[in-house]
Amino acid sequence: MQPVQWGSHPPARRVIVHLSDTHLLGRGARLAGRFDVTANLDATLAAVERLGVRPDALVFTGDLTDLGDPEAYRALRAAVEPVAARLGAPVVWVAGNHDERPELRRDLLGLPASQEPVTGVWDLGGLRLIALDTTVPGWHHGDLDATQLDWLRAQLRHPAPLGTLLAMHHPPLPSHIPLFDILELRHQASLAEAIAGTDVRGILAGHLHYSTSGTFAGVPVSVASATCYTMNLQRPPEEVNGMDAAQAFHLVHVYDDTITHSVVPVVDAPTGDFFSAEWVQRMDALTAEERMEAFSRKPAR
C-alpha cells in the first residue's frame, strides 16, 4: 500500500532498518548455553519482512558474531542476504567488539583478511551513510584512531543532498549499566571535533543491548536493542543481566527536517482489528474535512 498523507508530514524521503548485536555462533550453538541466537535472528528477520516496506538499507551495528568464528559469519550472511534480496535493499555491516576484523572481512564481506578497519560509504539516493569501525583488536572498549578520523573528515568535506548518518558500534552516550562505562567509546572529543560543522544528522549505534537515545556534539544518537538478548533495566544497575525477551530493532524514517527512530518489537503478538486496508481506503476517499468529522471528533455523550 502506498503511504497516505492525511496530516502535515509528507512520506519519508528514506527508510532504514537498523538492527544490532546478533552475536551469532557457529553450528547453531546457544549463547551462554541459554540464548538461541539463531532462532532469535530468524524471528527478527521475519519481523522485518512483516513491516511491508522496502527499506533503502539494512544496517547492522556490530557484534555480528559472538566469537568472530568464520562459520558464524557465513551463517549470518546466508540468513540475511536472501531477505535483503527480497526487499531490494543493500546490507551495511558494522564491526563490533565481539567481531574479528580478518574473519569479518573474509567470511562476511568476501574481502582479503586483514586487520584494516571495516569502513564504508553508501549513497542511499542522496542520503549518505558512513560506517565507522570503533573496534580495538584484542579489546572490548571502543576508539577511533587518527587515521580513521582523517578519513571521516575527508568524506564529510562535501555535504550530501539529504545529509549524512554515521553507523558505529560503540555509542558516544552514557550508559545505565556500570560495565558499559568500562567498555565505552574513548576519546569522544576527537569524534566531536571531526563532525563539528558537517552535515551529520544522526548516529546509529548498538553495543548496549537496550534501546536508548541522546545527543552527542549536538547530533542525535539512536541505539538499537539487540536481536540476541536484551538488558533488563528494571533491575538495579549492578544487577542488570541479559534476558531472552524484548528483542527489537529500529525503523528509521528520514525526512527533510527530522529523523525518527521507532522501536519495533520482534514478537508477533495478537493485535486489535480497528484499522485495516479497507478502513484506509474508505478514509482516503473522504475529503480532509470529512475525515476530521468521521475520525477526529469525539462522539457526544
Side-chain angles (χ1 to χ4, degrees), residues 112-131:
S114 76
Q115 286 289 359
E116 289 295 309
V118 181
T119 60
V121 182
W122 287 260
D123 179 1
L124 306 178
L127 175 69
R128 179 168 52 195
L129 180 69
I130 298 178

Side-chain angles (χ1 to χ4, degrees), residues 128-263:
R128 179 168 52 195
L129 180 69
I130 298 178
L132 298 175
D133 189 340
T134 57
T135 66
V136 181
W139 298 85
H140 281 297
H141 68 271
D143 210 344
L144 291 165
D145 62 21
T147 300
Q148 193 172 166
L149 288 172
D150 286 343
W151 174 82
L152 175 61
R153 291 187 189 94
Q155 301 301 319
L156 296 175
R157 192 163 293 133
H158 301 289
L162 298 181
T164 296
L165 293 179
L166 304 182
M168 54 201 291
H169 183 61
H170 298 80
L173 290 178
S175 170
H176 176 72
I177 306 172
L179 171 63
F180 285 102
D181 291 343
I182 305 169
L183 307 181
E184 69 182 7
L185 180 69
R186 299 185 181 177
H187 304 108
Q188 295 182 19
S190 297
L191 175 61
E193 183 276 330
I195 66 176
T198 69
D199 71 340
V200 174
R201 300 181 61 190
I203 298 174
L204 310 181
H207 190 50
L208 300 182
H209 289 240
Y210 64 90
S211 297
T212 190
S213 61
T215 56
F216 170 74
V219 174
V221 180
S222 179
V223 180
S225 186
T227 75
C228 60
Y229 66 85
T230 66
M231 294 299 192
N232 187 354
L233 297 187
Q234 297 178 41
R235 303 173 67 88
E238 65 275 9
E239 297 179 10
V240 171
N241 286 294
M243 62 179 181
D244 195 8
Q247 284 88 352
F249 58 92
H250 283 184
L251 190 57
V252 183
H253 288 85
V254 179
Y255 300 87
D256 287 333
D257 57 352
T258 192
I259 300 176
T260 63
H261 304 263
S262 304
V263 179

Side-chain angles (χ1 to χ4, degrees), residues 27-39:
R27 304 183 185 278
R30 289 176 178 260
L31 182 59
R34 297 177 50 204
F35 305 111
D36 191 340
V37 292
T38 299

Side-chain angles (χ1 to χ4, degrees), residues 269-287:
T271 59
D273 58 2
F274 183 88
F275 299 109
S276 66
E278 292 75 19
W279 183 89
V280 171
Q281 291 175 352
R282 188 167 67 251
M283 291 292 289
D284 197 35
L286 303 177
T287 66

